Amino acid sequence: MRQDVHNSSIPVLCASCEARHKGICGALEPDQLVALAKTSYKQKADGGSELIGDAERVESYSNVLSGVVKLTKTLSDGRQQIVGLQFAPDFLGRPFRSESGINAEAATEVGLCSFPKGAIERMMKASPELEHRLYQQTLRELDEAREWMVTLGRKTASEKIASFLLMIARHIDPTADPDRTSATFDLPLSRADIADFLGLTIETVSRQLTKLRADNVIRIENNRHVVVPDMERLELRAGN
Amino acid sequence: MRQDVHNSSIPVLCASCEARHKGICGALEPDQLVALAKTSYKQKADGGSELIGDAERVESYSNVLSGVVKLTKTLSDGRQQIVGLQFAPDFLGRPFRSESGINAEAATEVGLCSFPKGAIERMMKASPELEHRLYQQTLRELDEAREWMVTLGRKTASEKIASFLLMIARHIDPTADPDRTSATFDLPLSRADIADFLGLTIETVSRQLTKLRADNVIRIENNRHVVVPDMERLELRAGN
DNA sequence: CCCGCACATTGACCTCGGTCAACCCCTGCC
DNA sequence: GGCAGGGGTTGACCGAGGTCAATGTGCGGG
C-alpha cells in the first residue's frame, strides 16, 4: 500500500503528513501527490479566526493537520449552532458547491494544508479512490451528525455535557486505547462554544460541569484541563 | 444522457422508474441496468413497518420509489429521535458497514426497489459514476442533517413546527414551483412522528399547530391535510 | 348503530433550563 | 501595583415546554 522503502518520490511537504496516512491523500499515487503538492501550501490559523464564510465563494479545500475546527450555522438574529467539529486529518470543504452554507472557524490554533478547489476536483475525476475516501469521510460525518441530533433533540442538559466530554475524550486523548478506564485531555472549546454545540447557554454548561465535578465524575484544572478517572461512570451519565 | 429513442435495452422493471431519471440508477449503462435489474425486486411496505433494524445485519439496499421513510435512533430508555426523512427517489442504506446504526421505518405506505448489498457494492467498484451519485446524495443528506441540528438546538417550538411544515411543503407538494406563494399537501407523519422529529412532545406539536391555525398561517383538514395560503408568512415563523 | 381503539386536542400544573445580574479569577498593559 | 477586559461561576427568578389527565373525533368491526 504505502511505499516507505523508496519514497524519495514523495514530496517533502507530504513526507510526514498525517493526511497521507489516515487522510484522503493516502488515496493518491506518488506522481499525483507530487502534482497536488505543487499547488498546495501549509498554514497556521489562530484560534477564533474564520476559515470559511457562509456565503463567501470557496476557492480552496484543506486538510486539518492539527487543532480543531468548528463548523457553525447562524440564524439571522444571531443564535448560533455548531454543526460539526473537525479533527486531524479531516478534510475541510463542501465539494460540488460554490458556497458551503456553513461557517468554519478555528476553535484552537489550527494547522491546515490547503489546495485550490479546482485541483482537488480534477484529481477526483481522475482518481475514483480519492472520491471514495471523501465519500467515506462524508458518511462518517453524517453518522456523527445524526448521533448529535439525538443528543440535541432528546437528551437533558447533563446528558448533553457528559456526551460531549465522552466525544472529546474519544477524539483527543493521545493515549488512544478505546477501552481505557480513565482519560485526560484539554477541552478544545470554550464554555460558549460548548453551549453552541449542545444547544444550551454558557450558564447551564457551567452548572452541569460543576455538578459533574461535585459528583467526582470529573476533575477540572485551569478551566480547560479535564481528568476523567472512570470513563464508565461518565458513560452512565450520557444516557445512551 | 438518457436514451429514450431506442431503449428496448432498458429492463421493463426500470423503464418508467423515477430512480433511473433522478436517482442513482441514472448513473448506469443499459447493460449494467440489466444486470442489476436481474437481482432487484419492487415491493410495497405498509406505513409503520420496519425496513431496517438498528443492529440487524443489512443484506440489501433500496431505492425509495414512493412514500416517505423515517430514519430513527432510540436511546435505551425509549426516547426516540427521527434523524432523517427519505423521499423518492432517495437511496436507502449505509454503504460500507454491515450494521446501519439506525432504524428505518415506513412513515407512509412506501414503494421500494431493493437490491442485494453485494450487487450494489460490486457495481460501485465498476462504476465511479454510481459512487459519485451516492456521494452526492450523502452530501445532500449531511447538509440537511446540519440544517436540522440548528432547528433542534436553537429554535423555539413554534419555529420548529413552522420549519417542519416548510420542509414538507418543499418536498411533497406536487405543484413543485419553488417560488409559489401558496401550498397544499398531506402530512406524511403523525403528531407523534413530528414530535420525534423536532425533539418535542405531541402535546406541544398539537398546541403549536393550533396556534398557527388560529393565526391563519395554515388551515388543517382531517388532521393531515394542510393548506398554506401564504408561504412567506410561514417562512417568517420559521425564524431563519 | 354502537362500541372500542388510535390519534389528536385542550387544560392545569410543574420543572428544567434560560435570563439577568453580581462576582471571581486570570492575564496583559499602563 | 492597579486596572481593564475576557472568560468562568454562582444565585435568584421566570417562562417555555414537559407531564398528567380529561375530553374529543374519526374509523373499522360486530
Side-chain angles (χ1 to χ4, degrees):
Chain A
M1 232 181 191
R2 282 199 282 131
Q3 305 151 289
D4 281 317
V5 192
H6 260 310
N7 58 7
S8 55
S9 58
I10 303 282
V12 195
L13 193 68
C14 312
S16 67
C17 180
E18 200 180 352
R20 213 186 93 243
H21 303 307
K22 296 186 289 176
I24 56 156
C25 295
L28 300 174
E29 299 297 324
D31 57 324
Q32 296 176 303
L33 208 51
V34 170
L36 186 59
K38 278 211 185 76
T39 60
S40 70
Y41 54 99
K42 293 195 177 177
Q43 55 176 320
K44 287 268 176 196
D46 290 334
S49 61
E50 179 165 308
L51 306 176
I52 302 178
D54 181 5
E56 128 197 345
R57 241 191 125 60
V58 182
E59 295 302 345
S60 67
Y61 297 135
S62 305
N63 280 319
V64 179
L65 302 183
S66 64
V68 178
V69 174
K70 54 181 183 171
L71 308 177
T72 67
K73 276 177 163 280
T74 309
L75 299 177
S76 54
D77 62 0
R79 281 175 288 176
Q80 200 173 57
Q81 175 70 44
I82 294 183
V83 297
L85 289 179
Q86 314 230 253
F87 301 83
D90 288 346
F91 175 81
L92 180 62
R94 170 60 165 91
F96 317 124
R97 234 190 221 160
S98 56
E99 296 179 6
S100 75
I102 62 181
N103 287 69
E105 188 180 323
T108 63
E109 194 193 35
V110 164
L112 294 175
C113 183
S114 307
F115 332 93
K117 200 161 139 59
I120 290 284
E121 289 179 350
R122 249 176 289 115
M123 207 151 284
M124 221 182 322
K125 278 193 190 123
S127 165
E129 171 64 14
L130 175 59
E131 185 161 29
H132 180 69
R133 292 229 186 177
L134 287 165
Y135 180 26
Q136 295 267 24
Q137 176 180 324
T138 303
L139 282 168
R140 269 199 312 279
E141 284 180 40
L142 183 58
D143 289 344
E144 278 168 28
R146 286 175 169 164
E147 193 66 43
W148 283 108
M149 289 178 73
V150 182
T151 303
L152 287 171
R154 289 303 185 196
K155 288 190 185 175
T156 65
S158 60
E159 289 170 336
K160 285 180 180 181
I161 294 289
S163 305
F164 171 75
L165 291 175
L166 268 183
M167 188 273 277
I168 295 295
R170 295 196 173 120
H171 269 93
I172 298 261
D173 193 341
T175 76
D177 173 14
D179 296 330
R180 81 204 108 95
T181 125
S182 72
T184 298
F185 53 90
D186 281 320
L187 287 176
L189 302 187
S190 68
R191 303 292 188 268
D193 285 339
I194 300 174
D196 281 349
F197 192 65
L198 298 174
L200 299 171
T201 59
I202 52 177
E203 292 94 330
T204 304
V205 171
S206 185
R207 277 188 254 270
Q208 297 302 333
L209 282 174
T210 55
K211 188 136 80 75
L212 282 178
R213 205 174 22 181
D215 298 352
N216 290 315
V217 180
I218 58 172
R219 272 180 297 132
I220 303 182
E221 290 152 19
N222 300 331
N223 280 341
R224 289 288 188 123
H225 192 74
V226 177
V227 179
V228 186
D230 184 351
M231 289 290 271
E232 266 182 50
R233 292 191 57 205
L234 187 57
E235 274 160 31
L236 237 45
R237 301 274 186 141
N240 293 298
Chain B
M1 233 179 192
R2 282 198 284 130
Q3 306 152 289
D4 281 316
V5 192
H6 260 310
N7 58 6
S8 54
S9 57
I10 304 284
V12 196
L13 193 68
C14 312
S16 67
C17 180
E18 202 181 352
R20 214 185 93 242
H21 303 308
K22 296 187 288 176
I24 56 156
C25 295
L28 300 175
E29 299 298 323
D31 58 322
Q32 296 176 304
L33 209 51
V34 170
L36 186 58
K38 277 211 186 74
T39 60
S40 68
Y41 53 100
K42 293 194 178 179
Q43 55 177 320
K44 287 268 176 195
D46 289 335
S49 61
E50 179 164 310
L51 306 176
I52 302 177
D54 183 5
E56 127 197 346
R57 242 191 126 58
V58 182
E59 295 302 346
S60 67
Y61 297 136
S62 306
N63 280 317
V64 179
L65 302 182
S66 64
V68 178
V69 174
K70 52 180 184 173
L71 308 177
T72 68
K73 276 176 162 279
T74 308
L75 299 177
S76 54
D77 63 0
R79 282 174 287 176
Q80 199 172 59
Q81 175 69 43
I82 294 183
V83 297
L85 290 179
Q86 314 229 251
F87 301 83
D90 288 347
F91 176 81
L92 180 62
R94 169 61 164 91
F96 317 124
R97 243 204 206 147
S98 58
E99 296 181 5
S100 74
I102 62 181
N103 288 69
E105 188 180 324
T108 62
E109 194 193 36
V110 164
L112 295 175
C113 184
S114 306
F115 333 91
K117 200 162 138 63
I120 290 285
E121 288 178 351
R122 249 176 288 115
M123 208 152 283
M124 220 179 329
K125 275 191 193 125
S127 164
E129 171 64 15
L130 175 60
E131 184 162 27
H132 180 69
R133 292 226 185 180
L134 287 165
Y135 180 26
Q136 295 268 22
Q137 176 179 323
T138 303
L139 282 168
R140 268 199 311 279
E141 284 180 40
L142 183 57
D143 289 344
E144 278 167 28
R146 287 176 168 165
E147 192 66 42
W148 282 109
M149 289 178 73
V150 182
T151 303
L152 286 171
R154 288 304 186 195
K155 289 191 185 175
T156 64
S158 59
E159 289 171 336
K160 285 180 179 180
I161 294 289
S163 304
F164 171 75
L165 291 176
L166 268 182
M167 188 274 275
I168 296 294
R170 294 194 174 122
H171 269 94
I172 298 261
D173 193 341
T175 75
D177 173 14
D179 295 329
R180 81 204 108 94
T181 126
S182 72
T184 298
F185 53 89
D186 282 320
L187 287 177
L189 302 188
S190 68
R191 301 293 188 269
D193 286 338
I194 299 175
D196 281 348
F197 191 65
L198 298 174
L200 299 171
T201 58
I202 52 176
E203 292 93 331
T204 303
V205 171
S206 186
R207 277 188 255 269
Q208 297 302 333
L209 282 173
T210 54
K211 188 136 81 72
L212 283 178
R213 204 174 23 181
D215 298 352
N216 289 315
V217 179
I218 58 172
R219 273 180 296 133
I220 304 183
E221 289 151 21
N222 301 330
N223 280 341
R224 288 289 187 122
H225 191 73
V226 177
V227 179
V228 186
D230 183 352
M231 290 290 271
E232 267 183 50
R233 292 191 59 205
L234 186 57
E235 276 161 30
L236 236 45
R237 301 275 186 138
N240 293 297

